Amino acid sequence: MHTVYGNSISGNCWKPAFMLRQRGLPFRWVEVDILAGASRTPEFLAMNPNGRVPLLQLPDGRRLAESNAMLLHLGEGTAWLPADAYERAKVYEWLFFEQYTHEPAVATVRFWVAYLKKHEEWREKIAETMVKGYAALGVMERQLGRTPYLVGAAPTLADIALYAYTHVAHEGGYRLDDYPALRAWLARFAELPGFVAMPCKGP
Amino acid sequence: MHTVYGNSISGNCWKPAFMLRQRGLPFRWVEVDILAGASRTPEFLAMNPNGRVPLLQLPDGRRLAESNAMLLHLGEGTAWLPADAYERAKVYEWLFFEQYTHEPAVATVRFWVAYLKKHEEWREKIAETMVKGYAALGVMERQLGRTPYLVGAAPTLADIALYAYTHVAHEGGYRLDDYPALRAWLARFAELPGFVAMPCKGP
């Protein structure tokens, strides 16, 4: 059985749980209290030297870090990862866009505001970061005004990865009024068969 | 023929150029002056709405952003991307580690110091970011003390992605004295057949 070491408030941790459910694979969820430093203990660092969740343990005991690496690993051979070389490359493109451009702005502001309660104290830093977050959402809006999902007519791993923090962006104070295609996509994604909202702890 | 829109000082742009040469594919290099805002013009944004280099144009005219997506696309079917499912997943893991944890610290400090010349002005921000950069290098050191390359005995796309900015980390002020396995890996990588250093503009 797979094991996910994760934190229930984390969109990154929701990704492998969502994909394991899509695959019909039962899994064990081990809650890691990141706010209390549980991902930086010697025991956890022995499992993931980078000290982050999620961490996926495969049935044979081998481990894998990085949420989008988990999506690619678990998505191989499913309709979530297209066989066509260019569509597949576009999935990769969105996955790296998510981790480099989107998550550091959209997820980070949510974490600061909703969990660290730094809304007042870090007002300036939050405002600066939200400019980047809105730009990232704008890149998505542009694509979603053209295709129902990020890589075309059908949902892919790209949509899972971007849904993770986009659907809770409002918890950080982001307003999506000017992003109609993105809002329609959020609603469309949530109606997919087997959809499971956050938190997504168990099978 | 492929076209790479890139900037010669960018490790991210070196990645697709390196891989195209490994594949023996001729390509055209279009220099984009990012310091002058050339990746944010309406013309460039029409090609890549995210306003970043590198941008890869395929022979059929379709385009692909994100340097590590290019590595995966160009590396498919070569020894740089293992067929074994777990080794392949570990390549993915390192590619996301590179973009999320390594590049924002190692490449960013190099850019601030060597190109923006902010060594004095941003001293505090640089020191804070270097703590994260050394931690990322530490994750690599730990693995490279165990295996010659990041995913095992043979080089993979993971090594290309991490080589890009690690081998110029010193330009930002990083010292690798305490990272002997990493230094040995840098030397090992540079001796691979077909190795081409930065800048890597042409075929």
Side-chain angles (χ1 to χ4, degrees), chain A residues 38-121:
Chain A
S39 61
R40 306 282 172 164
T41 62
E43 292 74 21
F44 193 85
L45 290 170
M47 296 197 297
N48 181 10
N50 199 27
R52 295 183 194 276
V53 290
L55 179 68
L56 179 67
Q57 187 167 294
L58 308 181
D60 66 10
R62 291 186 294 184
R63 299 189 188 97
L64 184 65
E66 298 294 336
S67 60
N68 288 355
M70 296 170 200
L71 287 182
L72 288 167
H73 180 67
L74 294 168
E76 191 68 70
T78 76
W80 292 97
L81 185 52
D84 174 77
Y86 183 70
E87 288 185 5
R88 199 177 167 100
K90 294 298 279 186
V91 170
Y92 297 144
E93 179 188 292
W94 284 107
L95 294 184
F96 288 105
F97 165 84
E98 192 265 335
Q99 285 289 286
Y100 190 83
T101 299
H102 183 282
E103 201 264 15
V106 177
T108 299
V109 168
R110 168 180 175 260
F111 188 69
W112 291 342
V113 170
Y115 297 97
L116 299 186
K117 310 292 182 191
K118 298 289 189 183
H119 186 69
E120 292 298 329
E121 190 179 342

Coordinates of all heavy atoms in Angstrom, one line a residue, chain A residues 38-121:
Chain A
A38 N 7.6 19.3 12.2 CA 7.7 17.9 12.1 C 8.3 17.4 10.8 O 8.6 16.2 10.6 CB 6.3 17.2 12.3
S39 N 8.4 18.3 9.8 CA 9.1 17.9 8.5 C 10.6 18.2 8.6 O 11.3 18.0 7.6 CB 8.4 18.6 7.3 OG 8.6 20.0 7.4
R40 N 11.1 18.7 9.7 CA 12.5 19.0 9.9 C 13.2 18.2 11.0 O 14.3 18.5 11.3 CB 12.7 20.5 10.1 CG 12.0 21.4 9.1 CD 12.8 21.5 7.8 NE 12.0 22.3 6.8 CZ 12.5 22.8 5.7 NH1 13.8 22.7 5.5 NH2 11.8 23.4 4.9
T41 N 12.5 17.2 11.5 CA 13.1 16.3 12.5 C 14.2 15.4 11.8 O 14.1 15.1 10.6 CB 12.1 15.4 13.2 OG1 11.5 14.6 12.2 CG2 10.9 16.3 13.8
P42 N 15.1 14.9 12.6 CA 16.1 14.0 12.1 C 15.4 12.8 11.4 O 15.9 12.3 10.4 CB 16.9 13.5 13.3 CG 16.8 14.7 14.3 CD 15.4 15.2 14.0
E43 N 14.3 12.3 12.0 CA 13.6 11.1 11.5 C 13.1 11.4 10.1 O 13.1 10.6 9.2 CB 12.5 10.7 12.4 CG 13.0 10.1 13.8 CD 13.5 11.2 14.7 OE1 13.1 12.4 14.5 OE2 14.3 10.9 15.6
F44 N 12.4 12.6 10.0 CA 11.8 13.0 8.7 C 12.9 13.3 7.6 O 12.8 12.8 6.5 CB 10.9 14.1 8.8 CG 10.0 14.3 7.6 CD1 8.8 13.6 7.5 CD2 10.4 15.1 6.6 CE1 8.0 13.7 6.3 CE2 9.6 15.2 5.4 CZ 8.4 14.5 5.3
L45 N 14.0 14.0 8.1 CA 15.0 14.3 7.1 C 15.7 13.0 6.6 O 16.3 13.0 5.5 CB 16.0 15.2 7.8 CG 15.5 16.7 8.0 CD1 16.5 17.5 8.8 CD2 15.3 17.4 6.7
A46 N 15.7 12.0 7.4 CA 16.3 10.7 6.9 C 15.5 10.1 5.8 O 16.0 9.4 4.9 CB 16.4 9.7 8.1
M47 N 14.2 10.5 5.8 CA 13.3 10.0 4.7 C 13.3 11.0 3.5 O 13.3 10.6 2.4 CB 11.8 9.9 5.2 CG 11.7 8.8 6.3 SD 10.0 8.3 6.5 CE 9.2 9.8 7.1
N48 N 13.3 12.3 3.8 CA 13.4 13.3 2.7 C 14.4 14.4 3.2 O 14.0 15.3 3.9 CB 12.0 13.9 2.4 CG 12.1 14.9 1.3 OD1 13.1 15.1 0.7 ND2 11.0 15.7 1.1
P49 N 15.6 14.3 2.7 CA 16.6 15.3 3.1 C 16.2 16.7 2.8 O 16.8 17.7 3.4 CB 17.8 14.9 2.2 CG 17.6 13.5 1.8 CD 16.1 13.3 1.7
N50 N 15.3 16.9 1.9 CA 14.8 18.3 1.6 C 13.8 18.8 2.6 O 13.4 20.0 2.6 CB 14.3 18.4 0.2 CG 14.2 19.8 -0.4 OD1 15.0 20.7 0.0 ND2 13.3 20.1 -1.3
G51 N 13.4 18.0 3.5 CA 12.5 18.4 4.7 C 11.2 19.0 4.3 O 10.7 19.9 4.9
R52 N 10.5 18.4 3.3 CA 9.3 18.9 2.8 C 8.2 17.8 2.7 O 8.6 16.6 2.5 CB 9.4 19.6 1.4 CG 10.3 20.8 1.4 CD 10.3 21.4 0.0 NE 11.3 22.4 -0.2 CZ 11.3 23.6 0.2 NH1 10.2 24.1 0.7 NH2 12.3 24.5 0.0
V53 N 7.0 18.2 2.8 CA 5.9 17.3 2.4 C 5.3 17.8 1.2 O 5.4 19.0 0.9 CB 4.8 17.2 3.6 CG1 5.3 16.5 4.8 CG2 4.2 18.6 3.9
P54 N 4.6 17.0 0.4 CA 4.3 15.6 0.6 C 5.6 14.7 0.4 O 6.5 15.1 -0.4 CB 3.2 15.2 -0.4 CG 3.5 16.1 -1.5 CD 4.0 17.4 -0.9
L55 N 5.5 13.5 1.0 CA 6.5 12.5 0.7 C 5.7 11.2 0.4 O 4.8 10.9 1.2 CB 7.5 12.3 1.9 CG 8.5 11.2 1.6 CD1 9.5 11.6 0.5 CD2 9.3 10.9 2.9
L56 N 5.9 10.6 -0.7 CA 5.2 9.4 -1.1 C 6.1 8.2 -0.8 O 7.2 8.1 -1.3 CB 4.8 9.5 -2.5 CG 4.0 8.3 -3.1 CD1 2.6 8.2 -2.5 CD2 3.9 8.4 -4.6
Q57 N 5.5 7.2 -0.1 CA 6.2 5.9 0.1 C 5.5 4.9 -0.8 O 4.3 4.7 -0.6 CB 6.3 5.5 1.5 CG 7.2 4.3 1.8 CD 7.5 4.1 3.2 OE1 8.1 4.9 3.9 NE2 6.9 3.0 3.8
L58 N 6.2 4.3 -1.7 CA 5.6 3.3 -2.5 C 5.4 2.0 -1.8 O 6.0 1.8 -0.7 CB 6.6 3.1 -3.8 CG 7.0 4.3 -4.5 CD1 7.9 3.9 -5.7 CD2 5.8 5.1 -5.0
P59 N 4.6 1.1 -2.3 CA 4.3 -0.2 -1.6 C 5.6 -1.0 -1.3 O 5.7 -1.7 -0.3 CB 3.4 -0.9 -2.6 CG 2.7 0.1 -3.4 CD 3.7 1.3 -3.5
D60 N 6.7 -0.8 -2.2 CA 7.9 -1.6 -1.9 C 8.8 -0.8 -0.9 O 10.0 -1.3 -0.7 CB 8.6 -1.9 -3.2 CG 9.1 -0.6 -3.9 OD1 9.1 0.5 -3.4 OD2 9.5 -0.7 -5.1
G61 N 8.4 0.3 -0.4 CA 9.2 1.0 0.6 C 10.0 2.2 0.1 O 10.5 3.0 0.8
R62 N 10.2 2.2 -1.3 CA 11.0 3.3 -1.8 C 10.2 4.6 -1.8 O 9.0 4.5 -1.8 CB 11.4 3.0 -3.3 CG 12.4 1.8 -3.3 CD 12.9 1.6 -4.7 NE 11.9 1.1 -5.6 CZ 12.1 0.8 -6.9 NH1 13.3 0.9 -7.4 NH2 11.1 0.3 -7.7
R63 N 10.9 5.7 -1.7 CA 10.2 7.0 -1.5 C 10.4 8.0 -2.6 O 11.4 7.9 -3.4 CB 10.7 7.6 -0.2 CG 10.4 6.7 1.0 CD 10.7 7.5 2.3 NE 10.6 6.5 3.4 CZ 11.7 5.9 4.0 NH1 12.9 6.1 3.5 NH2 11.5 5.1 5.0
L64 N 9.5 8.9 -2.7 CA 9.5 9.9 -3.8 C 9.1 11.2 -3.2 O 8.0 11.3 -2.6 CB 8.6 9.5 -4.9 CG 8.6 10.3 -6.2 CD1 9.9 10.3 -6.9 CD2 7.5 9.8 -7.2
A65 N 9.8 12.3 -3.4 CA 9.4 13.6 -3.0 C 8.9 14.4 -4.2 O 9.0 13.9 -5.3 CB 10.6 14.3 -2.4
E66 N 8.5 15.6 -4.0 CA 8.0 16.5 -5.0 C 6.6 16.1 -5.5 O 6.5 15.2 -6.3 CB 9.0 16.7 -6.2 CG 10.4 17.2 -5.7 CD 10.3 18.7 -5.3 OE1 9.4 19.4 -5.6 OE2 11.2 19.1 -4.5
S67 N 5.6 16.9 -5.2 CA 4.2 16.6 -5.5 C 4.0 16.4 -7.0 O 3.3 15.5 -7.4 CB 3.3 17.7 -5.0 OG 3.6 18.9 -5.6
N68 N 4.6 17.2 -7.8 CA 4.4 17.0 -9.3 C 5.1 15.8 -9.9 O 4.7 15.3 -10.9 CB 4.7 18.3 -10.0 CG 3.7 19.4 -9.8 OD1 2.7 19.2 -9.1 ND2 4.0 20.6 -10.3
A69 N 6.2 15.4 -9.2 CA 6.9 14.1 -9.6 C 5.9 13.0 -9.3 O 5.8 12.0 -10.1 CB 8.2 14.0 -8.9
M70 N 5.2 13.1 -8.2 CA 4.2 12.1 -7.8 C 3.1 12.0 -8.8 O 2.7 10.9 -9.2 CB 3.7 12.4 -6.4 CG 4.7 12.3 -5.3 SD 4.1 13.0 -3.8 CE 5.6 13.3 -2.9
L71 N 2.6 13.2 -9.3 CA 1.6 13.2 -10.3 C 2.0 12.5 -11.5 O 1.3 11.7 -12.1 CB 1.1 14.6 -10.6 CG 0.3 15.4 -9.6 CD1 0.0 16.8 -10.1 CD2 -0.9 14.6 -9.2
L72 N 3.2 12.8 -12.0 CA 3.7 12.2 -13.2 C 3.9 10.7 -13.0 O 3.6 9.9 -13.9 CB 5.1 12.8 -13.7 CG 4.9 14.2 -14.2 CD1 6.3 14.9 -14.3 CD2 4.3 14.2 -15.6
H73 N 4.4 10.3 -11.9 CA 4.7 8.8 -11.6 C 3.3 8.1 -11.6 O 3.2 7.0 -12.2 CB 5.4 8.7 -10.3 CG 5.7 7.3 -9.9 ND1 6.6 6.5 -10.7 CD2 5.2 6.5 -8.9 CE1 6.6 5.3 -10.1 NE2 5.8 5.3 -9.1
L74 N 2.4 8.6 -10.8 CA 1.1 7.9 -10.7 C 0.2 8.1 -11.9 O -0.7 7.3 -12.1 CB 0.4 8.5 -9.4 CG 1.0 8.2 -8.1 CD1 0.4 9.1 -7.0 CD2 1.0 6.8 -7.7
G75 N 0.5 9.1 -12.7 CA -0.4 9.4 -13.8 C 0.0 8.6 -15.1 O -0.8 8.6 -16.0
E76 N 1.2 8.1 -15.1 CA 1.7 7.4 -16.3 C 0.7 6.2 -16.6 O 0.3 5.4 -15.8 CB 3.1 6.8 -16.0 CG 3.8 6.2 -17.2 CD 4.2 7.4 -18.1 OE1 5.1 8.1 -17.8 OE2 3.6 7.4 -19.2
G77 N 0.4 6.2 -17.9 CA -0.5 5.2 -18.4 C -2.0 5.5 -18.2 O -2.9 4.7 -18.6
T78 N -2.3 6.6 -17.6 CA -3.7 7.0 -17.5 C -4.0 8.2 -18.5 O -3.1 8.7 -19.1 CB -4.0 7.5 -16.1 OG1 -3.5 8.9 -15.9 CG2 -3.5 6.6 -15.0
A79 N -5.3 8.5 -18.6 CA -5.7 9.6 -19.5 C -5.3 10.9 -19.0 O -5.3 11.9 -19.7 CB -7.2 9.6 -19.7
W80 N -4.8 11.0 -17.7 CA -4.4 12.3 -17.1 C -3.0 12.7 -17.7 O -2.6 13.9 -17.6 CB -4.2 12.2 -15.6 CG -5.5 12.0 -14.9 CD1 -6.1 10.8 -14.5 CD2 -6.4 13.1 -14.5 NE1 -7.3 11.1 -13.8 CE2 -7.5 12.4 -13.8 CE3 -6.4 14.4 -14.6 CZ2 -8.5 13.2 -13.3 CZ3 -7.4 15.2 -14.1 CH2 -8.5 14.6 -13.4
L81 N -2.3 11.8 -18.4 CA -1.0 12.1 -19.0 C -1.0 11.7 -20.4 O -0.9 10.5 -20.7 CB 0.1 11.4 -18.2 CG 1.6 11.7 -18.6 CD1 1.8 13.2 -18.6 CD2 2.6 11.0 -17.7
P82 N -1.2 12.6 -21.3 CA -1.4 12.3 -22.7 C -0.2 11.5 -23.3 O 0.9 11.7 -22.9 CB -1.6 13.6 -23.4 CG -1.9 14.6 -22.3 CD -1.3 14.1 -21.1
A83 N -0.5 10.7 -24.3 CA 0.5 9.9 -25.0 C 1.2 10.8 -26.0 O 2.4 10.7 -26.3 CB 0.0 8.7 -25.6
D84 N 0.5 11.7 -26.7 CA 1.0 12.6 -27.7 C 2.2 13.4 -27.1 O 2.1 14.0 -26.1 CB -0.1 13.5 -28.2 CG 0.4 14.6 -29.2 OD1 0.7 14.2 -30.3 OD2 0.7 15.7 -28.7
A85 N 3.3 13.4 -27.9 CA 4.5 14.0 -27.4 C 4.4 15.5 -27.0 O 4.9 15.9 -26.0 CB 5.7 13.8 -28.4
Y86 N 3.7 16.2 -27.9 CA 3.6 17.7 -27.6 C 2.6 17.9 -26.5 O 2.9 18.8 -25.6 CB 3.1 18.4 -28.9 CG 3.1 19.9 -28.7 CD1 4.3 20.6 -28.5 CD2 1.9 20.6 -28.6 CE1 4.2 22.0 -28.3 CE2 1.8 21.9 -28.4 CZ 3.0 22.6 -28.3 OH 3.0 24.0 -28.1
E87 N 1.5 17.2 -26.4 CA 0.6 17.4 -25.3 C 1.2 17.1 -24.0 O 1.0 17.8 -23.0 CB -0.7 16.6 -25.5 CG -1.6 17.1 -26.6 CD -2.9 16.3 -26.7 OE1 -3.2 15.5 -25.9 OE2 -3.7 16.6 -27.7
R88 N 2.0 16.0 -24.0 CA 2.7 15.6 -22.8 C 3.7 16.7 -22.4 O 3.8 17.0 -21.2 CB 3.5 14.3 -23.2 CG 3.9 13.5 -22.1 CD 4.6 12.2 -22.6 NE 5.3 11.6 -21.5 CZ 4.8 10.6 -20.8 NH1 3.7 10.0 -21.1 NH2 5.5 10.1 -19.8
A89 N 4.4 17.3 -23.4 CA 5.4 18.3 -23.1 C 4.6 19.6 -22.5 O 5.2 20.2 -21.6 CB 6.1 18.7 -24.4
K90 N 3.4 19.8 -23.0 CA 2.7 21.0 -22.4 C 2.2 20.7 -21.0 O 2.2 21.6 -20.2 CB 1.4 21.3 -23.3 CG 1.8 21.8 -24.7 CD 2.5 23.1 -24.6 CE 1.6 24.3 -24.4 NZ 2.4 25.6 -24.5
V91 N 1.9 19.4 -20.7 CA 1.7 19.0 -19.3 C 2.9 19.4 -18.4 O 2.8 20.0 -17.4 CB 1.3 17.6 -19.2 CG1 1.2 17.1 -17.7 CG2 -0.1 17.3 -19.8
Y92 N 4.1 18.9 -18.9 CA 5.3 19.3 -18.2 C 5.4 20.8 -18.0 O 5.8 21.2 -16.9 CB 6.5 18.8 -18.9 CG 6.7 17.3 -19.2 CD1 7.2 16.8 -20.4 CD2 6.3 16.4 -18.2 CE1 7.4 15.5 -20.6 CE2 6.5 15.0 -18.5 CZ 7.0 14.5 -19.7 OH 7.2 13.2 -19.9
E93 N 5.2 21.5 -19.0 CA 5.3 23.0 -19.0 C 4.5 23.6 -17.9 O 4.9 24.3 -17.0 CB 4.9 23.6 -20.3 CG 5.0 25.1 -20.4 CD 4.4 25.6 -21.7 OE1 5.0 25.4 -22.7 OE2 3.3 26.3 -21.6
W94 N 3.2 23.1 -17.8 CA 2.3 23.7 -16.8 C 2.7 23.2 -15.4 O 2.6 24.0 -14.4 CB 0.8 23.3 -17.0 CG 0.2 24.1 -18.1 CD1 -0.1 23.6 -19.4 CD2 -0.2 25.4 -18.1 NE1 -0.7 24.6 -20.1 CE2 -0.8 25.7 -19.3 CE3 -0.2 26.4 -17.1 CZ2 -1.3 27.0 -19.6 CZ3 -0.7 27.7 -17.4 CH2 -1.3 27.9 -18.6
L95 N 3.3 22.0 -15.3 CA 3.7 21.5 -13.9 C 4.9 22.4 -13.4 O 4.9 22.7 -12.2 CB 4.1 20.1 -14.0 CG 3.0 19.0 -14.3 CD1 3.6 17.6 -14.2 CD2 1.8 19.2 -13.4
F96 N 5.8 22.7 -14.3 CA 6.9 23.6 -13.9 C 6.5 25.0 -13.6 O 6.9 25.7 -12.7 CB 8.1 23.5 -14.8 CG 8.8 22.2 -14.8 CD1 8.6 21.2 -15.7 CD2 9.6 21.9 -13.7 CE1 9.3 20.0 -15.6 CE2 10.2 20.6 -13.5 CZ 10.1 19.7 -14.5
F97 N 5.5 25.5 -14.5 CA 4.9 26.8 -14.3 C 4.3 26.9 -12.9 O 4.5 27.8 -12.1 CB 3.9 27.1 -15.3 CG 3.0 28.2 -15.0 CD1 3.3 29.5 -15.3 CD2 1.7 28.0 -14.5 CE1 2.4 30.6 -15.1 CE2 0.8 29.0 -14.2 CZ 1.2 30.3 -14.5
E98 N 3.6 25.8 -12.5 CA 2.9 25.8 -11.2 C 3.9 25.9 -10.1 O 3.7 26.7 -9.2 CB 2.1 24.5 -11.1 CG 1.2 24.4 -9.9 CD 1.7 23.8 -8.7 OE1 2.6 23.0 -8.8 OE2 1.2 24.2 -7.6
Q99 N 5.0 25.1 -10.1 CA 5.9 25.1 -9.0 C 6.8 26.4 -9.0 O 7.2 26.8 -7.9 CB 6.8 23.9 -9.0 CG 6.0 22.7 -8.6 CD 5.8 22.7 -7.1 OE1 6.7 22.5 -6.2 NE2 4.5 22.9 -6.7
Y100 N 7.1 26.9 -10.1 CA 8.1 28.1 -10.2 C 7.4 29.4 -10.1 O 7.9 30.3 -9.4 CB 8.9 28.0 -11.5 CG 10.1 29.0 -11.5 CD1 11.3 28.7 -10.8 CD2 10.0 30.2 -12.1 CE1 12.3 29.5 -10.8 CE2 11.0 31.1 -12.0 CZ 12.2 30.8 -11.4 OH 13.3 31.7 -11.4
T101 N 6.2 29.5 -10.7 CA 5.6 30.9 -10.9 C 4.3 31.0 -10.0 O 4.1 32.0 -9.4 CB 5.3 31.1 -12.4 OG1 6.5 31.1 -13.1 CG2 4.6 32.4 -12.6
H102 N 3.5 30.0 -10.0 CA 2.2 30.0 -9.4 C 2.3 29.8 -7.9 O 1.9 30.6 -7.1 CB 1.3 29.0 -10.1 CG -0.2 29.0 -9.6 ND1 -0.6 28.4 -8.5 CD2 -1.3 29.5 -10.2 CE1 -1.9 28.5 -8.3 NE2 -2.3 29.2 -9.4
E103 N 2.8 28.6 -7.5 CA 2.8 28.2 -6.1 C 3.5 29.2 -5.2 O 2.9 29.6 -4.1 CB 3.4 26.8 -6.0 CG 3.0 26.0 -4.8 CD 4.0 26.1 -3.7 OE1 4.9 27.0 -3.7 OE2 3.9 25.4 -2.7
P104 N 4.7 29.7 -5.5 CA 5.4 30.6 -4.7 C 4.6 31.9 -4.4 O 4.9 32.6 -3.4 CB 6.7 30.9 -5.4 CG 6.9 29.7 -6.3 CD 5.5 29.3 -6.7
A105 N 3.7 32.2 -5.3 CA 2.9 33.5 -5.1 C 1.5 33.1 -4.5 O 1.1 33.7 -3.5 CB 2.8 34.2 -6.4
V106 N 0.8 32.2 -5.1 CA -0.6 32.0 -4.7 C -0.6 31.2 -3.4 O -1.4 31.5 -2.5 CB -1.3 31.2 -5.9 CG1 -2.8 30.9 -5.4 CG2 -1.4 32.1 -7.1
A107 N 0.1 30.1 -3.3 CA 0.1 29.3 -2.1 C 0.7 30.0 -0.9 O 0.3 29.9 0.2 CB 0.8 27.9 -2.4
T108 N 1.8 30.7 -1.2 CA 2.6 31.4 -0.2 C 1.7 32.5 0.5 O 1.7 32.6 1.8 CB 3.9 32.0 -0.8 OG1 4.6 30.9 -1.3 CG2 4.7 32.7 0.3
V109 N 1.0 33.3 -0.3 CA 0.2 34.3 0.3 C -0.9 33.7 1.2 O -1.2 34.1 2.3 CB -0.4 35.2 -0.7 CG1 -1.5 36.1 -0.2 CG2 0.7 36.1 -1.4
R110 N -1.5 32.6 0.7 CA -2.6 31.9 1.5 C -2.0 31.4 2.8 O -2.6 31.6 3.8 CB -3.1 30.7 0.7 CG -3.9 29.7 1.5 CD -4.4 28.6 0.6 NE -5.1 27.5 1.3 CZ -4.5 26.4 1.8 NH1 -3.3 26.1 1.5 NH2 -5.3 25.5 2.4
F111 N -0.8 30.9 2.8 CA -0.1 30.4 4.0 C 0.1 31.5 5.0 O -0.2 31.4 6.2 CB 1.2 29.6 3.6 CG 1.8 28.9 4.8 CD1 1.2 27.8 5.4 CD2 3.0 29.4 5.3 CE1 1.8 27.2 6.4 CE2 3.6 28.7 6.4 CZ 3.0 27.6 7.0
W112 N 0.7 32.6 4.5 CA 0.9 33.8 5.3 C -0.3 34.3 6.0 O -0.3 34.7 7.1 CB 1.6 34.9 4.5 CG 3.0 34.6 4.0 CD1 3.9 33.7 4.5 CD2 3.7 35.3 3.0 NE1 5.0 33.7 3.8 CE2 5.0 34.7 2.9 CE3 3.4 36.3 2.1 CZ2 5.9 35.1 1.9 CZ3 4.3 36.8 1.2 CH2 5.6 36.2 1.1
V113 N -1.4 34.4 5.1 CA -2.6 35.1 5.6 C -3.5 34.2 6.5 O -3.8 34.5 7.6 CB -3.4 35.6 4.4 CG1 -4.8 36.1 4.8 CG2 -2.6 36.8 3.7
A114 N -3.7 33.0 5.9 CA -4.7 32.1 6.6 C -4.1 31.3 7.7 O -4.8 30.9 8.6 CB -5.3 31.2 5.5
Y115 N -2.8 31.0 7.7 CA -2.2 30.1 8.7 C -1.3 30.9 9.6 O -1.3 30.6 10.8 CB -1.6 28.9 8.0 CG -2.7 28.1 7.3 CD1 -2.9 28.2 6.0 CD2 -3.5 27.3 8.1 CE1 -3.9 27.6 5.3 CE2 -4.5 26.6 7.4 CZ -4.8 26.7 6.1 OH -5.8 26.1 5.5
L116 N -0.4 31.7 9.1 CA 0.5 32.5 9.9 C -0.1 33.7 10.5 O 0.4 34.4 11.3 CB 1.8 32.8 9.2 CG 2.6 31.6 8.7 CD1 4.0 32.0 8.2 CD2 2.9 30.6 9.9
K117 N -1.3 34.1 9.9 CA -2.0 35.3 10.4 C -1.2 36.6 10.3 O -1.2 37.4 11.2 CB -2.5 35.1 11.8 CG -3.3 33.8 12.1 CD -4.6 33.7 11.4 CE -5.3 32.4 11.7 NZ -6.5 32.2 10.8
K118 N -0.5 36.7 9.2 CA 0.4 37.9 9.0 C -0.2 39.0 8.1 O 0.6 39.8 7.6 CB 1.8 37.4 8.4 CG 2.5 36.4 9.3 CD 3.1 37.1 10.5 CE 4.0 36.1 11.2 NZ 4.6 36.7 12.5
H119 N -1.5 39.0 8.0 CA -2.2 39.9 7.1 C -1.7 41.3 7.3 O -1.5 42.1 6.3 CB -3.7 39.7 7.3 CG -4.5 40.5 6.3 ND1 -4.5 40.2 4.9 CD2 -5.2 41.6 6.4 CE1 -5.3 41.1 4.3 NE2 -5.7 42.0 5.2
E120 N -1.7 41.8 8.5 CA -1.3 43.2 8.8 C 0.2 43.3 8.8 O 0.8 44.2 8.1 CB -1.8 43.6 10.2 CG -3.3 43.7 10.3 CD -3.9 44.8 9.4 OE1 -3.2 45.8 9.1 OE2 -5.0 44.6 8.9
E121 N 0.9 42.5 9.5 CA 2.3 42.6 9.7 C 3.1 42.6 8.4 O 4.1 43.3 8.3 CB 2.8 41.5 10.7 CG 4.2 41.6 11.2 CD 4.6 40.5 12.1 OE1 3.6 39.8 12.6 OE2 5.8 40.2 12.3

